[in-house]
Amino acid sequence: MPELDEVKQADSASAAEHPFEVERIRQDFPALTLSVHGQPLVYLDNAASTQKPVSVLDAVDRCYREYYSNVHRGVHHLSQKATDAYEEARRKVQGFVGASRAEEIVFVRGATEGINLVASTFGRSRVKAGDEVLITEMEHHSNIVPWQMLCEQTGATLRVAPIDDRGEVILEEYEKLLNDRTRIAAIVHISNALGTINPVSRMVEMAHSRDVPVLVDGAQAAPHALVDVEALGCDFFVCSGHKMFGPTGIGALYGRWDLLSTMPPYQGGGEMIRSVTFTKTEYAEPPARFEAGTPNIAGAIGMGAAVDYLQGIGLETIGRYELGLLEYATSALSAIPGVRLIGTAAHRASVVSFTIDGAHPHDVGTILDREGIAVRAGHHCAQPVMDHFGVPATVRASLAFYNQRQEIDRLVSGVEKVKEIFN
Ligand code: PMP
């Protein structure tokens, strides 16, 4: 793993192509200049949602000010301009995730809706009583509950691949759980509670060797790692704009064309039809088939701008820089007596989850907030992970490329303060 100094050198070597200067980058984010309780904000809640660069704010603003209209329906100038921008955003997301065609990208509200869409449409048409759906123990509730609901509706069984005490999926168990009854596997790429990076392409290969399609929950991967759905080999991939420095209320589902094109609709309404009579409705081809009603036009355009922003820096550059920061945070926090790290997988990204002896995570979060430090305290919508580690909650510091070592130092001082209060 590269040290931060090596990262800096590597970054400056490729600087001509992708300059990465954190101080300059921070100036793109108005929220990073905020003060909280009289202290400069240290924003370490990026796994929950990220701050927005000016280019995203401007793209959304320009859409509403300069060419806003409904999409796909109008022959007039504004509608055509809005439609062009909306479809251009789809092509940007296509390029970002490495899909081979823009029609494989469906705009949804976020990762949660993308998973619900697949569970409801692909799931309802392919899963029946006696079948199995395979997930892992480290899933976010968004990648548990929709499958549980599907199983309840169909009589199928939810199977769960266990994790070990470092927070890694036990691959032999995962492989054993794949069988002739498995209809779909749904796995998280990077865990929001533990930071674990799963060996997704290997897990996809294992599933595909049994003809099991795989959905990858990429909510935490898209902002931190280069995603390539073709290289991962997955059949579905979901991500959320708001975790990628884009607007809230927008996200994307990638679906392999041969699967997507055979799936029944998700919601009914305008936009998703080819023709409607009272006796029969013919559905449009994807992606329109899955985008009933007026979509989040400005949100999609803002997500496209976020993709441009991320690609302007370069996901590989981001990943390298964040890894240095993660190493720094991990070693600083683990050196504090009484701090227990939850999630120590060999490959992690951007998340440090921990507990402090004698202090409830919610109290820790509140005390850190008084110091201007935003972290998350709770179960992170991953209660089974908390159960695995025998804790009700953790404190989670989650990083982005705009964070700096001195912010980690402030977190460490905050943790020391918590210890003084509780010991
Ligand atoms: N999966 C993971 C791993 C997540 O971290 C999250 C959000 N915390 C989601 C799914 C759900 O994303 P959203 O709330 O944007 O739909």
Side-chain angles (χ1 to χ4, degrees), residues 96 189-190 216-227 237 315:
F96 184 74
H189 193 164
I190 297 180
V216 173
D217 172 359
Q220 297 296 341
H224 302 292
L226 195 62
V227 170
F237 182 92
L315 266 298

Side-chain angles (χ1 to χ4, degrees), residues 1 46 91 170 260 266-267 318 356 367:
M1 260 168 211
N46 295 288
R91 286 190 291 277
I170 305 173
L260 210 55
Y266 176 47
Q267 294 173 332
I318 288 171
I356 304 176
I367 294 165

Side-chain angles (χ1 to χ4, degrees), residues 9 20 22 25-26 40 67-68 99 104 126 149 154 188 206 230 264 308 329 334-335 342 364 367 373 381:
Q9 274 175 12
F20 186 78
V22 70
I25 278 171
R26 287 177 68 83
Y67 60 92
Y68 181 75
E104 292 178 319
R126 307 264 185 125
M149 288 162 62
T154 57
V188 70
M206 288 176 181
E230 304 248 315
D308 284 342
S334 58
I342 305 289
V364 179
I367 294 165
I373 303 166
C381 296

Side-chain angles (χ1 to χ4, degrees), residues 127-184:
V127 176
K128 45 184 195 326
D131 289 344
E132 294 181 3
V133 174
L134 178 59
I135 60 170
T136 81
E137 197 182 353
M138 72 167 82
E139 299 308 319
H140 186 280
H141 295 165
S142 306
N143 206 21
I144 301 174
V145 183
W147 303 115
Q148 223 162 23
M149 288 162 62
L150 172 68
C151 289
E152 272 164 22
Q153 286 155 9
T154 57
T157 304
L158 190 66
R159 308 297 299 268
V160 183
I163 58 174
D164 62 20
D165 290 341
R166 284 153 43 115
E168 293 177 348
V169 175
I170 305 173
L171 287 180
E172 307 79 71
E173 298 297 323
Y174 170 78
E175 193 165 27
K176 270 193 236 155
L177 284 164
L178 287 160
N179 63 54
D180 295 345
R181 293 180 299 280
T182 317
R183 290 291 159 266
I184 186 163

